[in-house]
């Protein structure tokens, strides 16, 4: 048997090095998500109860962000927070990845992953006031850039959300998924699960969304999200970019988002 050439040895070494770098990056992202999660808990005391329930597994409290076991895949039962989410978003314009008026003076971009538990907590404890106090009155518009880096379930959820965005329903899907998450990378994002989520969104053509998950438009939207994240140095979720007009956007965590919006809103008055 012939020995590998020097070029082959170099190629093999390079492949091994790149694989090790990818593994290290994924580990760093997971650690950073845990740090961010801790920041959210410190900022919003009530979240501690949710996290204890989610981690301990000793309660069936539906406020937990990890409740895929309660999701009916037959469409005969309501999803966690379904009525609350649909009521909160009702009447707010949606177009593509954007929730709110396109001419709103403040721009908020969330880099998220629909499977991310820290994103779920931010959805429950931070976004309601952001939507009620800033998006609905037209002070800010909120974009979701799904960078789906946690695994296969993340990608399946991201594709379904992107497909729903073509019908102006991305934020309904995202909020319902965050309120009804399953165990990370357990394979819970099945077609039955996605159908149950879709059935909870008023006006969504679920079959059309399922059918267009691999469309060029969906692929482009998700690719643009990852490009934008890379340009802005975003490597964990949730991360927010906030700013006004054509000026630069500031990177903030979920724990600092509301205070940043308060400052920007005061500057607009």
């Amino acid at each position: 048997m012939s020995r590998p050439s020097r070029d082959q040895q170099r190629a093999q070494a390079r492949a091994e090095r790149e694989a090790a770098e990818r593994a290290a990056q994924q580990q760093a992202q997971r650690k950073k998500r845990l740090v961010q999660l801790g920041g959210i808990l410190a900022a919003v005391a009530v979240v501690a109860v949710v996290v204890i329930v989610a981690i301990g597994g000793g309660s069936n409290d539906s406020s937990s962000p990890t409740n895929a076991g309660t999701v009916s895949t037959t469409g005969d039962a309501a999803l966690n927070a379904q009525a609350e989410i649909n009521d909160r978003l009702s009447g707010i314009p949606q177009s593509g990845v954007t929730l709110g008026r396109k001419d709103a003076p403040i721009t908020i971009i969330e880099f998220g992953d629909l499977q991310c538990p820290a994103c779920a907590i931010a959805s429950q404890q931070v976004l309601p006031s952001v939507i009620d106090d800033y998006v609905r009155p037209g002070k800010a518009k909120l974009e979701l850039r799904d960078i789906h880096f946690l695994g296969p379930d993340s990608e399946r959820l991201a594709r379904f959300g992107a497909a729903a965005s073509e019908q102006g329903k991305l934020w309904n899907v995202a909020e319902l998924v965050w309120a009804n998450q399953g165990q990370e990378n357990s394979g819970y994002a099945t077609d039955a699960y996605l159908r149950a989520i879709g059935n909870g969104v008023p006006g969504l053509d679920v079959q059309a969304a399922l059918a267009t998950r691999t469309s060029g438009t969906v692929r482009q939207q998700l690719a643009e999200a990852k490009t934008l994240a890379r340009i802005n140095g975003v490597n964990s979720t949730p991360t927010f970019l906030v700013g006004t007009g054509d000026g630069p956007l500031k990177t903030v965590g979920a724990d600092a988002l509301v205070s940043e919006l308060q400052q920007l809103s005061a500057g607009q008055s």
Side-chain angles (χ1 to χ4, degrees), residues 16 28 48 52 57 85 87 105 126 142 146 159 175-176 180 191 213 248:
E16 291 174 352
I52 291 170
I85 289 168
D87 181 65
V126 179
L142 178 59
D146 194 324
R159 287 184 176 278
E175 292 280 77
L176 280 175
N180 294 273
D191 279 7
R213 288 174 292 176

Side-chain angles (χ1 to χ4, degrees), residues 24-105:
Q25 184 181 24
Q26 290 173 353
Q27 181 67 18
Q29 288 171 339
R30 290 178 182 275
K31 288 181 179 179
K32 191 167 184 178
R33 281 195 300 116
L34 292 176
V35 171
Q36 285 190 317
L37 180 57
I40 297 171
L41 295 177
V44 189
V46 70
V47 178
V49 176
V50 179
V51 174
I52 291 170
V53 171
I55 296 177
S59 169
N60 290 324
D61 187 347
S62 63
S63 66
S64 166
T66 307
N67 282 302
T70 67
V71 175
S72 169
T73 57
T74 61
D76 57 1
L79 299 161
N80 296 325
Q82 177 179 335
E84 176 186 350
I85 289 168
N86 289 334
D87 181 65
R88 172 163 290 115
L89 300 178
S90 177
I92 303 177
Q94 290 192 57
S95 177
V97 300
T98 304
L99 175 70
R101 286 172 33 192
K102 289 186 175 182
D103 62 349

Side-chain angles (χ1 to χ4, degrees), residues 107-130:
T107 296
I108 310 166
I109 301 175
E110 176 179 1
F111 291 94
D113 185 316
L114 297 187
Q115 195 183 191
C116 166
C119 295
I121 291 176
S123 165
Q124 295 172 10
Q125 303 298 333
V126 179
L127 290 187
S129 63
V130 171

Side-chain angles (χ1 to χ4, degrees), residues 96 161-170 212 215-218 221:
S165 76
E166 297 182 24
Q167 302 180 42
K169 301 293 183 180
L170 169 60
T212 57
S215 70
T217 303
V218 165
Q221 181 185 125

